[in-house]
Amino acid sequence: MARGEALPERRISAMNSATPHPGKFLHPHRVFTAFKWLVYMLLAWNAFQFFQEDLAASAETFGNTISWLNVVEAFSASIDTTAWLVLLLVFEFETAIISDEVLKGGVKWLLLALKTICYILIVYAFYGYLSKYLVVSNLLPFQITDVCSLAGTDWNFVLSLDDYPPIDAISCSALQGAELLRISGTEIIGTREALEATWKLAVVDIINSATWLVIVVLLEAEVWMQLRGVLTSRLLQVMKYLKGFFYSILFLAAAYWGFEGSFLDFWDAFLWLVAFIFIELNIFQWHGEEEEAPAGGA
């Protein structure tokens, strides 16, 4: 996300509109709804955690020089995740909460404005991932006789992509004698191995963000064709396999984060894949209902 997308403007699904049987707490509709909102809440919590990570990392990377020009470089993960989450919630309101009678006029234009802002922020966050890669891959040789002389100063070392703790007595001993590199324009150093792992994670961020953007385009194309009655079952199958390829890329990115990155990155990517199961099911159900309508005389 991470890791969210452009979401189809689907009407209320049968599952979402089903009326639970009175007194049955474990009715399938209630279980489904509770699970869906649990996923949304977990994604919101992840967005807050990404903000905390970005805040700590930006303080070390940019210091007091953060402005509106480089804020996306400092808070790319936060901006990206929050924008996707808002899109997801707008979709939920359009399809399961706001009725068709209300979803017009000012409400319709308000939701459209929210989605437009989210799209702009998502593309902006993609630019932020590119900028962050350029920062962490712009390295210079760093030589010093005694690394421990930097302990207690403003110098930091690279632990991971968004984790640059200050150099202390313990960390300087681990850095002593190793080949060190410095991130250009900063007071951050690290071993070659740590910095190579960092820029690889930055590359995965770029791939993940770009892949979600492609999926957005494919989803919007499906919605456009469905609304105009040109989305055939054969074409829907082709789109399913095409999106399956890009979802596989997202799964590989999540697996890479699980092994090489942080648990938060892996967990967030996993939750977004689960959330998009709802979206794909909505599209297939929508198409099925439209095909069945003529047969039923609707």
Side-chain angles (χ1 to χ4, degrees):
M1 28 291 247
R3 319 158 158 111
E5 34 279 32
L7 305 172
E9 296 182 1
R10 172 84 163 87
R11 293 283 64 81
I12 300 176
S13 67
M15 182 174 290
N16 284 343
S17 61
T19 302
H21 191 280
K24 291 188 176 181
F25 179 76
L26 294 180
H27 189 281
H29 166 72
R30 289 180 174 174
V31 174
F32 173 81
T33 302
F35 174 69
K36 178 171 61 176
W37 282 100
L38 174 62
V39 171
Y40 294 168
M41 287 188 292
L42 289 173
L43 287 170
W45 174 247
N46 285 355
F48 175 71
Q49 290 183 293
F50 278 123
F51 172 74
Q52 289 183 311
E53 282 193 353
D54 283 346
L55 186 63
S58 62
E60 305 301 340
T61 308
F62 299 97
N64 297 322
T65 62
I66 297 179
S67 66
W68 67 272
L69 293 173
N70 62 4
V71 66
V72 68
E73 300 175 37
F75 297 95
S76 54
S78 303
I79 293 172
D80 188 34
T81 304
T82 302
W84 281 124
L85 181 62
V86 172
L87 273 178
L88 194 63
L89 293 177
V90 169
F91 172 69
E92 182 65 22
F93 273 85
E94 287 178 329
T95 60
I97 297 178
I98 302 177
S99 66
D100 290 357
E101 291 74 18
V102 177
L103 190 60
K104 56 186 178 182
V107 174
K108 176 183 177 181
W109 287 108
L110 174 62
L111 295 180
L112 179 60
L114 283 175
K115 291 169 71 175
T116 301
I117 293 173
C118 288
Y119 290 138
I120 294 173
L121 291 177
I122 289 166
V123 175
Y124 192 38
F126 175 71
Y127 164 76
Y129 288 125
L130 289 173
S131 300
K132 181 176 288 188
Y133 167 76
L134 294 176
V135 170
V136 300
S137 63
N138 187 11
L139 305 175
L140 300 172
F142 184 80
Q143 295 180 350
I144 186 172
T145 304
D146 183 13
V147 180
C148 288
S149 64
L150 301 177
T153 65
D154 293 332
W155 284 85
N156 299 73
F157 72 101
V158 175
L159 194 59
S160 65
L161 179 59
D162 295 310
D163 194 0
Y164 313 125
I167 297 175
D168 55 22
I170 298 176
S171 58
C172 73
S173 299
L175 295 171
Q176 191 70 38
E179 180 186 3
L180 299 177
L181 298 172
R182 174 184 178 182
I183 299 179
S184 179
T186 71
E187 293 183 330
I188 301 175
I189 62 174
T191 63
R192 178 174 293 277
E193 292 76 13
L195 285 164
E196 285 182 352
T198 295
W199 69 255
K200 286 178 182 178
L201 286 171
V203 170
V204 174
D205 279 344
I206 294 172
I207 294 173
N208 180 77
S209 181
T211 302
W212 277 120
L213 288 174
V214 173
I215 290 177
V216 168
V217 173
L218 294 177
L219 285 171
E220 288 289 1
E222 282 184 331
V223 174
W224 185 87
M225 290 185 290
Q226 178 67 27
L227 289 173
R228 285 155 182 77
V230 296
L231 183 62
T232 63
S233 296
R234 180 182 295 274
L235 187 56
L236 187 63
Q237 284 294 107
V238 172
M239 296 291 282
K240 181 183 75 173
Y241 288 117
L242 184 59
K243 285 188 295 181
F245 168 75
F246 289 105
Y247 280 125
S248 298
I249 295 177
L250 297 176
F251 177 81
L252 291 175
Y256 185 84
W257 282 320
F259 286 105
E260 302 292 338
S262 68
F263 175 78
L264 176 59
D265 290 325
F266 164 76
W267 178 240
D268 185 72
F270 171 76
L271 287 177
W272 277 114
L273 289 172
V274 172
F276 268 80
I277 292 176
F278 304 140
I279 299 172
E280 297 299 337
L281 288 175
N282 280 346
I283 292 178
F284 278 102
Q285 183 177 348
W286 186 11
H287 180 73
E289 289 172 353
E290 291 297 324
E291 284 195 331
E292 293 174 1

